[in-house]
């Protein structure tokens, strides 16, 4: 059964169950006690469960925790987990996102978004659901902050925002409490439960000026029994695609016009992101004497020839305004307008159908023992439209191809060849095979990428009281799977089709469209030829999590003069598995053998490098102990120490693949006087490399980088004035990456201290205020990473200047054009870079620190209603990495003048305000209630940041401007308990700030003003 059918079956079952629950029910119980004019009555300390396993412990006051309740969630207008997470200032780049580089195969595919506290990188944040772990999303992703190291994230879109009671974010290392991998902190999502009745809501929204529409439907149903409750939450979301053509900053890869108002960047060709992989084919017959047609040269001595419109110059006309010319295209200068615009008729965000089901229940077995369970299901289907497939793996077109301009005089059947150029010299009567190097299969159509995700969760447990201890034990099993399907070109079938000597042979020799140079193919191959080469490429990835735990806690374990000591201890065993099953045409099952040369390639897919299957598993056993110790109480009347509490915790874990580790934590809260608290903590963390990083055999990824030694040749020959004008960007280079079973875990130290003020001197009529400020630092060592393509090419440049070379860079054998390029420069001839070999290694340490600010204000039961406001701000003060010995060597060489000053090197000495790490992020909410009326406003501010990869004429990087988005809603509840809400996100239509690529998808959402209406009714 397909995932889509399974979703609809489960949805029908859920709605039927909801109807049964609702039978005879008169009203829905409120999920939490509410003030008559709105807002929770209980204090934060009463509801926060994240940060301590001791229920009601005073030591939670020592921990910096952000709690986003239903009022604040409503004010943001968020529908998906991604939209909600982006409103939290302590969250960093959202690197798993379908709108982040959506026209490439490197974009996150499917309904998936990552969680990245403090910008430490995906995988450093632990995500919990109702206090227990979530299974990781199964598809790995090489993100920009890791240098294509595959990382695995929790899927924030699997969180049902409509069913959340609250979101708790612990902004502190929590390795000793929840697991050694909680390096940056913990995100705990707490769902609503204990419903009694039936409530339904529906919402419709759209992004102004775009084709994106979104429909959301929720059901809350439940019933109380004498000794328990069963509750069900159902969410269904249907979202249409956001098309690139909808907005000017996404409509084209050529963004030069958008930057005309920035004099330093006006006309900068780096802003033309159109692809050099086009239907205007680039071909070669290999080094041989120049081939001529009726005396006109149509190849170089290296055998290179190309197709282009006659308006760019004509060697030999082949009809339709298209000509064959000798040599390769120069897409950086002469042939720039022939580049392919990958945004033409493609999507920025895919269509999504999402279903969330969550069933919970509890039942009192005895006066002291209660059984409970959770059953969760998330399923999503998405479809994105990406550009047509490119030819990354060069292959030979047999001489027999019907359309080959250098084909035989007569075909094997005796028919004359109508497509052989007239008057050829240096071509045998049997014809010549042709090497196809740079080509895009535009006539084969766009790639429709379909991804089906699902995630299940089954939890059952018991809890109760025994000899003064509260205890709880549960067994959890969860799994996630993603099936990715997209059309691609089968290399073996392609070459067979190219070998045909009939008109049904695939024809790469016809170019694109003369009138629309950057897209389209006006002379496509026959449908039979296209059908003969296209197949569905599939990737199926799967993760599982099995967990069993036992927790015991007691608030009065031991009595001290200041009060009772709380204790919590427990045990946990979990098993994690991950499997990535690649298509048989990529994993080595079906390989490609060139029928012309006999050369082999492990990949039988035109646009994808070989990638073996990977799988791994590990078992982790752990035990923890936590104490909440009151040292001073108010009753002790000690001057300047009104109250002092300490949290001591430790956790021991044993990994089946990494051995054992123990991590401590200490936190303290010191109330100097009532309303003035100083708090601080110290903790250590440990993150094992994920299962793909340790188990992967060598795989390949498409990469790009500037080939500086060829830039140096151009500079010495006087062809360019500076490295800024260098045309040698290797866009089709392969990065060959190998896993490393000898990787060491990443170690971390997390420290924080802060101040909490609850001023009692402010008159009560002005409301209740809480002010917080916390300074935090995280130090990490042994971070898993790669040296990367650009560093490898820069090192090769340095070594070649000194007469050597970098053995990790593989280059093609120099051809005649390469010899001309290096002639007279004093440098040894270097062919084009083909690939770079790399391996996961433990790199140098990084330090990240900052300051968090918070304000909470509430004013209840006034003549004007009740008011609630929050401010949450985060400022990065340090983000540095040690570049390591190789990069330091390159810096020294650049400083000494050995390599050119324009050689771009990674400078991690100060990463604040660079590439999506703004110095400031601020979020605010303000809500008001009076009688049946309710309104709210929220804002999100993201500071500016630089893009070092985009330099202006002055040499200064482009500055992505700061952005303030305002969200607003108002609603009214009718006497029959029907509530209608009208809301808008991005009220002033700010949209994303301009950046290279048009916008920065990891920081800003690619649309502006968004309107929505919501209707909610209880029965």
């Amino acid at each position: 059964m397909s995932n889509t059918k399974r979703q609809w079956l489960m949805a029908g079952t859920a709605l039927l169950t909801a109807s049964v629950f609702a039978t005879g029910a008169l009203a829905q119980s409120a999920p939490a006690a509410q003030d008559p004019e709105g807002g929770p009555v209980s204090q934060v300390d009463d509801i926060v469960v994240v940060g301590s396993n001791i229920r009601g412990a005073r030591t939670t006051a020592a921990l910096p925790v952000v709690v986003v309740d239903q009022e604040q969630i409503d004010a943001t207008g968020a529908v998906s987990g991604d939209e909600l997470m982006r409103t939290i200032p302590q969250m960093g780049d959202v690197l798993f996102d379908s709108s982040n580089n959506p026209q490439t195969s490197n974009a996150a595919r499917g309904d998936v978004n990552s969680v990245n506290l403090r910008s430490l990188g995906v995988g450093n944040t632990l995500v919990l659901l109702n206090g227990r772990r979530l299974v990781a999303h199964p598809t790995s992703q090489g993100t920009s902050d890791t240098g294509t190291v595959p990382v695995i994230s929790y899927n924030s879109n699997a969180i049902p925002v409509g069913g959340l009671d609250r979101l708790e974010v612990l902004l502190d290392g929590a390795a000793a409490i929840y697991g050694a991998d909680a390096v940056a902190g913990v995100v705990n999502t707490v769902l609503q439960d204990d419903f009694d009745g039936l409530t339904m809501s529906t919402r419709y929204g759209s992004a102004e000026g775009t084709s994106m529409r979104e429909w959301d439907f929720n059901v809350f149903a439940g019933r109380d029994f004498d000794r328990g409750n069963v509750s069900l939450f159902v969410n269904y979301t249907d979202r249409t695609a956001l098309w690139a053509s909808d907005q000017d900053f996404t409509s084209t890869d050529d963004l030069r016009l958008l930057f005309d108002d920035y004099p330093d960047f006006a006309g900068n060709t780096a802003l033309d992101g159109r692809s050099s992989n086009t239907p205007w084919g680039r071909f070669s017959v290999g080094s041989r004497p120049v081939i001529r047609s009726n005396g006109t040269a149509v190849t170089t001595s290296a055998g290179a020839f190309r197709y282009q419109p006659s308006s760019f110059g004509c060697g030999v006309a082949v009809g339709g305004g298209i000509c064959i010319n000798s040599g390769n295209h120069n897409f950086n200068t002469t042939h720039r307008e022939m580049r392919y615009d990958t945004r033409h008729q493609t999507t920025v965000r895919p269509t999504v159908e999402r279903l969330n089901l969550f069933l919970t229940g509890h039942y009192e077995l005895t006066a002291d023992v209660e059984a409970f369970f959770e059953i969760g299901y998330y399923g999503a289907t998405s479809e994105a439209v990406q550009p047509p497939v490119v030819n990354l793996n060069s292959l030979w077109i047999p001489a027999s191809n019907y359309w080959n301009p250098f084909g035989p005089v007569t075909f094997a059947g005796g028919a004359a060849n109508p497509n052989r150029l007239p008057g050829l010299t240096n071509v045998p009567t049997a014809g010549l095979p042709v090497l196809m190097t740079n080509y895009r299969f535009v006539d084969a159509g766009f790639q429709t990428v379909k991804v089906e995700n699902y995630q299940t969760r089954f939890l059952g447990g018991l809890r109760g009281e025994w000899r003064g201890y509260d205890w709880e034990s549960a067994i959890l099993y969860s799994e996630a799977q993603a099936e990715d399907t997209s059309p691609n070109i089968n290399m073996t079938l392609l070459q067979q089709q190219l070998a045909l000597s009939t008109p049904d042979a695939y024809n790469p020799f016809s170019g694109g469209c003369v009138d629309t140079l950057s897209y389209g193919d006006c002379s496509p191959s026959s449908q039979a030829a296209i059908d003969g080469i296209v197949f569905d490429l599939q990737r199926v990835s799967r993760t599982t999590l099995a967990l069993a735990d036992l927790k015991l806690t007691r608030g009065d374990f031991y009595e001290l003069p200041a009060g009772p000591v709380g204790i919590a201890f427990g045990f946990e065993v979990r098993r994690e598995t991950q499997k990535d099953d690649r298509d048989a045409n990529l994993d080595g099952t079906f390989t490609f053998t060139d029928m012309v040369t006999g050369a082999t390639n492990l990949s039988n897919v035109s646009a994808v490098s070989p990638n073996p299957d990977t799988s791994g598993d590990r078992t982790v056993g752990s035990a923890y102990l936590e104490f909440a110790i009151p040292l001073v109480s108010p009753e002790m009347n000690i001057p300047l120490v009104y109250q002092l509490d300490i949290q001591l915790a430790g956790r021991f874990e044993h990994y089946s693949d990494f051995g054992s580790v123990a991590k401590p934590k200490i936190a303290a809260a010191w109330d100097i006087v009532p309303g003035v608290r100083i708090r601080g903590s110290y903790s250590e963390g440990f993150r094992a490399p994920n299962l793909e990083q340790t188990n992967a055999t060598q795989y390949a990824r498409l990469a790009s980088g500037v080939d500086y030694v060829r830039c140096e040749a151009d500079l010495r020959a006087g062809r360019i004035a500076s490295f800024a004008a260098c045309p040698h960007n290797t866009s089709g280079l392969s990065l060959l990456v190998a896993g490393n079973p000898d990787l060491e875990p990443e170690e971390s130290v997390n420290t924080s201290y802060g101040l909490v003020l609850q001023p009692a001197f402010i008159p009560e009529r002005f409301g209740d205020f809480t002010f917080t400020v916390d300074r935090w630092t995280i130090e990490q060592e042994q971070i898993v990473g790669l040296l990367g393509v650009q560093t490898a090419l820069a090192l090769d440049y340095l070594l070649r200047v000194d007469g050597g070379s970098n053995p990790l860079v593989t280059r093609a054998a120099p051809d005649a054009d390469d010899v001309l390029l290096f002639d007279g420069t004093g440098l040894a001839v270097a062919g084009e870079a083909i690939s770079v070999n790399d391996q996961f290694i433990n790199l140098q340490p990084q330090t990240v620190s900052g300051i968090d600010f918070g304000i909470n204000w509430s004013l209840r039961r006034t003549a004007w209603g009740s008011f609630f406001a929050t401010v949450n701000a985060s400022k990065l003060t340090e983000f540095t990495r040690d570049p390591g010995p190789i990069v330091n060597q390159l810096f020294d060489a650049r400083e000494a003048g050995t390599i050119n000053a324009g050689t771009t090197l990674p400078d991690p000495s100060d990463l604040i305000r660079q590439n999506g790490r703004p110095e400031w992020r601020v979020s605010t909410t303000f809500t008001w209630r009076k009688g049946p009326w309710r309104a709210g406003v929220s804002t999100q501010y993201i500071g500016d940041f630089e893009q070092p990869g985009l330099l202006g004429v002055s040499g200064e990087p482009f500055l992505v401007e700061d952005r303030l988005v305002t969200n607003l809603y108002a609603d009214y509840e009718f006497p029959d308990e029907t509530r209608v809400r009208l809301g808008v996100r991005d009220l002033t239509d700010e949209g994303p700030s301009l950046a290279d690529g048009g916008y920065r998808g990891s920081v800003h959402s690619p649309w502006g003003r968004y309107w929505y209406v919501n209707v909610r009714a209880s029965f």
Side-chain angles (χ1 to χ4, degrees):
M1 180 183 295
S2 72
N3 287 338
T4 303
K5 292 179 180 177
R6 187 187 298 114
Q7 289 177 9
W8 286 109
L9 177 61
M10 295 189 72
T13 304
L15 292 175
L16 178 61
T17 307
S19 301
V20 173
F21 286 160
T23 304
L26 299 178
Q28 177 189 7
S29 62
Q34 296 288 317
D35 180 276
E37 292 296 343
V41 172
S42 59
Q43 298 298 312
V44 169
D45 287 350
D46 294 329
I47 64 171
V48 172
V49 299
V50 70
S52 175
N53 286 303
I54 303 172
R55 190 181 302 276
R58 291 190 339 212
T59 52
T60 55
L63 306 174
V65 178
V66 172
V67 179
V68 185
D69 60 19
Q70 292 182 49
E71 289 282 338
Q72 294 166 301
I73 294 172
D74 285 346
T76 66
V79 173
S80 66
D82 170 55
E83 291 170 353
L84 179 59
M85 294 293 181
R86 287 178 187 260
T87 67
I88 299 172
Q90 290 79 13
M91 288 292 175
D93 297 12
V94 184
L95 296 168
F96 275 41
D97 184 81
S98 57
S99 62
N100 194 11
N101 301 317
Q103 279 76 32
T104 73
S105 59
N106 294 324
R109 292 156 74 109
D111 182 46
V112 57
N113 288 87
S114 56
V115 180
N116 183 15
L117 270 176
R118 306 296 195 193
S119 289
L120 285 188
V122 175
N124 283 283
T125 305
L126 179 62
V127 180
L128 308 176
L129 177 62
N130 293 337
R132 285 184 171 88
R133 286 176 178 261
L134 280 171
V135 68
H137 181 71
T139 305
S140 64
Q141 186 74 21
T143 58
S144 58
D145 67 330
T146 65
T148 70
V149 174
V151 292
I152 295 176
S153 173
Y154 300 97
N155 184 6
S156 64
N157 279 349
I159 299 170
V161 172
L164 283 181
D165 180 68
R166 63 189 182 274
L167 182 73
E168 304 166 348
V169 184
L170 174 62
L171 304 172
D172 194 24
I177 307 297
Y178 296 106
D181 50 352
V183 176
V186 177
V187 175
N188 184 34
T189 54
V190 182
L191 296 183
Q192 301 177 46
D193 59 6
D194 276 344
F195 304 115
D196 188 23
L198 176 65
T199 295
M200 294 185 178
S201 69
T202 186
R203 166 174 162 155
Y204 179 80
S206 66
E208 190 174 303
T210 76
S211 56
M212 188 175 73
R213 305 289 184 266
E214 200 163 26
W215 180 63
D216 193 62
F217 179 69
N218 295 302
V219 175
F220 303 85
R223 187 161 187 177
D224 286 336
F225 301 96
D226 289 341
R227 299 165 67 178
N229 173 275
V230 176
S231 297
L232 174 70
F233 168 71
V234 181
N235 166 260
Y236 173 77
T237 300
D238 187 4
R239 187 187 74 207
T240 61
L242 178 66
W243 290 87
S245 57
D246 287 344
Q247 297 164 112
D248 59 355
F249 58 88
T250 59
S251 62
T252 177
D253 288 322
D254 187 1
L255 301 170
R256 287 175 291 180
L257 286 177
L258 296 181
F259 286 77
D260 278 351
D261 292 335
Y262 301 84
D264 203 26
F265 295 88
N268 191 330
T269 56
L271 295 167
D272 182 4
R274 288 176 296 175
S275 173
S276 58
N277 294 106
T278 81
W280 302 103
R282 180 186 291 179
F283 305 97
S284 173
V285 291
S287 295
R288 62 179 55 249
V290 171
I291 296 174
R292 299 180 183 275
S293 173
N294 290 332
T296 301
V298 290
T299 71
T300 64
S301 59
F305 67 98
R306 67 186 186 273
Y307 283 77
Q308 65 186 36
S310 59
S311 58
F312 285 78
C314 192
V316 176
V318 293
I322 297 174
C323 301
I324 294 180
N325 284 59
S326 64
N328 292 323
H329 301 101
N330 189 334
F331 288 116
N332 292 302
T333 54
T334 308
H335 304 98
R336 175 169 292 279
E337 296 309 312
M338 292 170 57
R339 285 174 171 250
Y340 186 83
D341 197 331
T342 66
R343 302 194 186 188
H344 175 69
Q345 294 186 352
T346 61
T347 58
V348 175
R349 277 185 115 199
T351 63
V352 169
E353 281 190 90
R354 182 189 305 130
L355 176 67
N356 262 298
L357 305 172
F358 210 80
L359 181 67
T360 64
H362 57 85
Y363 183 78
E364 292 182 6
L365 299 175
T366 69
D368 297 324
V369 179
E370 181 180 61
F372 62 95
F373 73 90
E374 298 175 1
I375 299 176
Y377 175 82
Y378 154 82
T381 299
S382 68
E383 286 193 5
V385 179
Q386 293 189 342
V389 171
V390 300
N391 179 52
L392 296 181
N393 305 313
S394 299
L395 86 162
W396 284 90
I397 301 169
S400 59
N401 180 269
Y402 180 80
W403 308 99
N404 183 355
F406 306 126
V409 174
T410 58
F411 294 119
N417 185 349
N419 296 304
R420 178 177 167 121
L421 292 179
L424 287 177
T425 61
N426 298 317
V427 177
T429 58
L432 290 174
V434 174
L435 181 65
M436 182 167 65
T437 56
N438 189 335
Y439 186 74
R440 186 180 294 270
F441 299 88
V442 174
D443 53 3
F446 295 88
Q447 295 183 79
T448 300
V449 180
K450 183 176 181 179
V451 182
E452 293 186 332
N453 294 334
Y454 80 82
Q455 188 169 305
T456 60
R457 181 180 177 92
F458 302 93
L459 182 145
L462 298 171
R463 56 187 169 221
E465 191 272 336
W466 175 75
R467 296 187 179 182
Y469 286 89
D470 292 326
W471 61 271
E472 182 173 306
S473 181
I475 296 175
L476 165 68
Y477 176 77
S478 187
E479 68 179 38
Q481 180 172 296
E483 183 176 315
D484 184 312
T485 305
S486 61
N488 217 298
I489 306 297
N490 183 296
M491 293 283 285
T492 298
L493 296 178
L494 172 63
Q495 196 171 50
Q496 291 173 359
Q497 199 72 35
L498 288 168
L500 297 179
S501 56
T502 62
D504 279 344
Y506 185 78
N507 179 17
F509 298 107
S510 60
C513 291
V514 172
D515 295 329
T516 56
L517 298 176
S518 288
Y519 59 86
D521 188 341
C522 292
S523 51
S525 297
S526 68
Q527 191 61 48
I530 293 170
D531 292 342
I533 64 176
V534 175
F535 80 110
D536 283 337
L537 179 72
Q538 288 193 324
R539 176 186 182 184
V540 180
S541 49
R542 189 169 184 267
T543 51
T544 67
L545 169 67
L547 181 148
D549 63 15
L550 173 64
K551 308 175 183 180
L552 293 94
T553 179
R554 182 170 181 172
D556 58 352
F557 173 68
Y558 185 78
E559 196 69 30
L560 290 177
V565 175
I567 186 174
F569 58 95
F571 310 92
E572 178 185 286
V573 177
R574 71 179 188 270
R575 179 172 176 79
E576 302 167 341
T577 70
Q578 192 255 347
K579 180 175 177 59
D580 194 357
D581 185 6
R582 297 287 181 151
D583 195 277
N585 289 283
L586 290 179
D587 65 9
T589 303
F590 302 128
T591 60
F592 172 69
T593 301
D594 194 303
M595 66 172 63
V596 175
T597 65
T600 60
N601 192 320
L602 291 177
S603 171
N604 193 35
V605 183
S606 172
V608 187
S609 301
N611 210 127
D613 299 338
T614 61
S615 63
D617 61 77
R618 65 166 53 111
T619 301
V620 184
S622 61
Y624 70 88
L625 178 63
E626 178 190 355
F627 290 102
I629 306 172
L631 297 183
V632 177
S633 68
E635 294 76 16
M636 299 173 72
N637 295 316
I638 297 177
L640 298 181
V641 188
Y642 178 74
Q643 185 170 295
L644 179 60
D645 298 289
I646 290 179
Q647 179 191 53
L648 292 176
R651 190 180 188 96
F652 172 84
E653 293 192 339
H654 177 75
Y655 288 71
S656 59
D657 51 352
F658 281 98
S660 301
V661 61
K663 294 299 177 184
K665 177 170 186 174
I666 181 171
W670 168 26
D671 287 18
I672 302 174
V673 295
V676 181
R677 175 181 299 149
I678 295 176
R679 61 188 181 188
S681 68
Y682 170 90
S683 62
E684 295 181 6
F686 167 98
R687 186 168 79 105
N690 66 49
L691 293 171
E692 186 161 338
Q693 292 170 2
T694 56
N695 291 281
T697 52
Q698 189 179 77
Y699 64 87
R701 289 289 182 269
L702 180 65
S704 63
V706 179
D707 195 347
Y708 288 116
V709 71
R710 297 169 75 85
C711 300
E712 179 70 18
D714 276 345
L715 188 66
R716 293 187 182 187
R719 291 184 288 266
I720 58 175
S722 70
F723 266 30
C726 177
H728 300 291
N729 192 309
T730 57
S731 58
L733 187 144
S734 291
L735 175 65
L736 305 176
V737 181
N740 185 356
D742 297 323
L743 281 174
E744 297 180 11
E746 300 174 359
E747 302 276 352
S748 63
V749 173
N750 192 317
T751 57
S752 69
Y753 57 90
L755 176 67
V756 182
L757 297 177
Q758 293 177 308
F761 59 83
I762 299 178
E764 185 177 348
R765 67 178 182 276
F766 294 116
D768 298 324
F769 291 86
T770 299
F771 303 91
T772 63
V773 57
D774 292 278
R775 178 71 182 255
W776 55 272
T777 300
I778 302 173
E779 298 176 322
Q780 287 182 290
E781 295 180 346
Q782 305 288 358
I783 299 171
V784 176
L786 295 167
L787 287 178
V789 166
Q790 197 59 78
T791 300
L793 290 173
L795 180 60
D796 189 56
Y797 168 35
L798 171 61
L799 296 176
R800 285 182 179 274
V801 168
D802 291 335
S805 65
N806 182 359
L808 297 179
V809 177
T810 302
R811 295 181 176 275
D815 59 23
D817 292 336
D818 296 324
V819 173
L820 289 174
L821 179 70
F822 283 86
D823 186 39
T825 64
L827 296 169
V829 179
E832 290 190 357
I834 299 174
S835 65
V836 171
N837 288 275
D838 214 337
Q839 183 183 44
F840 305 136
I841 57 175
N842 292 103
L843 296 174
Q844 304 304 308
Q846 75 175 7
T847 299
V848 185
S849 63
I851 305 174
D852 293 332
F853 303 89
I855 301 174
N856 283 272
W857 172 73
S858 62
L859 181 62
R860 295 181 172 89
R861 296 180 295 277
T862 74
W864 300 95
S866 292
F867 304 87
F868 307 90
T870 66
V871 177
N872 181 11
S874 185
K875 181 180 188 293
L876 274 178
T877 59
E878 181 180 6
F879 204 126
T880 60
R881 293 174 184 159
D882 188 316
I886 292 178
V887 177
N888 284 329
Q889 178 187 3
L890 292 170
F891 271 108
D892 292 341
R894 191 173 70 176
E895 182 69 23
T898 308
I899 60 177
N900 191 274
T903 307
T904 302
L905 299 175
D907 183 3
S909 59
D910 185 2
L911 297 176
I912 297 175
R913 297 180 67 240
Q914 288 193 24
N915 289 329
R917 298 183 185 91
E919 184 178 11
W920 280 97
R921 293 178 187 254
V922 183
S923 177
T924 70
T925 63
F926 178 84
T927 58
W928 165 79
R929 279 193 176 189
K930 182 174 174 56
W933 289 97
R934 180 167 57 180
V937 61
S938 68
T939 65
Q940 285 86 49
Y941 172 79
I942 298 176
D944 58 20
F945 56 90
E946 296 177 344
Q947 295 192 293
L950 177 57
L951 301 179
V953 176
S954 67
E956 293 298 314
F958 183 74
L959 182 69
V960 179
E961 296 174 355
D962 58 355
R963 180 174 180 259
L964 176 66
V965 171
T966 302
N967 311 307
L968 180 68
Y969 79 90
D971 66 27
Y972 180 81
E973 184 173 17
F974 293 90
D976 63 355
E977 296 188 62
T978 298
R979 182 176 292 277
V980 178
R981 169 177 299 173
L982 178 65
V984 58
R985 299 205 310 259
D986 194 0
L987 176 66
T988 56
D989 199 22
E990 297 296 317
S993 299
L994 185 64
D996 65 348
Y999 66 100
R1000 186 77 175 192
S1002 61
V1003 180
H1004 300 136
S1005 297
W1007 63 87
R1009 187 184 292 121
Y1010 179 99
W1011 295 94
Y1012 65 92
V1013 60
N1014 187 86
V1015 179
R1016 180 185 179 103
S1018 297
F1019 304 93

